Amino acid sequence: MVSNIPKSPYNMLQEIYHPDVWKTLICCMFLNQTTRKQVDKIRDEFFERYPTPLKASQANQESMALLLKILGFQNRRSQNIITMSRQFLDGNWQKPSDLKGIGQYAEYSYEIFINHNLNVVPDDHILNKYMVWRLDYEKNKNV
């Protein structure tokens, strides 16, 4: 597995937390139905409190929900994060969407940033911009 990926001009959370699969997936969950600006307000504190899937899986749901309030849907988000973290640790998953609360955006992100699959065509605007940049980067680095 590739441990380094090139840094794009987009400074995506997936780039920042690569190659940590769990943190990458958590960031994708954060970004669901909210903005990066909102996520940036809580992500450092979240990962200080819950630096690992084990810590998150053992979290008090109400306490986590309070931290996630700024993102909206905090009760559902916190429940999904706790459940997903337990499932992640169990290891009984084949693809990210097997995990609670993981959607298409996280699936594409996993393929691109974790599996280094540059043959996907995401249906997300910023992931598409990243892919255009990344494919151009890969083409030009070999010239």
Side-chain angles (χ1 to χ4, degrees):
M1 181 176 286
V2 178
S3 61
N4 292 327
I5 58 173
K7 295 298 180 194
S8 77
Y10 305 111
N11 193 34
M12 297 180 69
L13 293 176
Q14 297 92 322
E15 296 174 277
I16 294 168
Y17 291 102
H18 179 272
D20 189 314
V21 175
W22 177 76
K23 286 183 179 177
T24 298
L25 294 174
I26 291 291
C27 287
C28 292
M29 293 174 81
F30 286 167
L31 289 165
N32 187 25
Q33 296 186 337
T34 195
T35 65
R36 168 73 185 268
K37 183 177 178 181
Q38 295 300 96
V39 171
D40 284 347
K41 292 177 182 178
I42 60 96
R43 69 180 165 94
D44 289 338
E45 184 175 350
F46 181 90
F47 288 130
E48 285 174 22
R49 287 189 196 182
Y50 313 106
T52 65
L54 180 60
K55 289 283 189 187
S57 72
Q58 298 169 339
N60 174 280
Q61 188 266 324
E62 291 83 11
S63 177
M64 185 184 286
L66 280 174
L67 176 61
L68 300 177
K69 186 174 183 175
I70 195 170
L71 304 181
F73 307 104
Q74 63 271 15
N75 292 322
R76 182 175 48 139
R77 268 186 219 279
S78 56
Q79 290 168 353
N80 285 348
I81 288 171
I82 291 167
T83 301
M84 184 281 273
S85 297
R86 289 176 183 154
Q87 293 172 330
F88 184 90
L89 289 169
D90 287 344
N92 294 325
W93 56 281
Q94 298 294 316
K95 58 189 186 302
S97 61
D98 293 340
L99 301 167
K100 180 77 172 169
I102 298 295
Q104 192 63 55
Y105 178 79
E107 282 278 350
Y108 285 130
S109 293
Y110 182 86
E111 281 302 310
I112 295 165
F113 295 95
I114 304 302
N115 285 342
H116 307 284
N117 178 357
L118 302 181
N119 294 313
V120 298
V121 181
D123 60 5
D124 176 80
H125 176 70
I126 191 66
L127 285 178
N128 277 321
K129 285 177 76 170
Y130 174 84
M131 286 298 293
V132 168
W133 175 86
R134 180 72 186 271
L135 291 170
D136 188 56
Y137 173 89
E138 296 296 330
K139 182 177 110 181
N140 290 325
K141 83 173 189 178
N142 294 322
V143 173

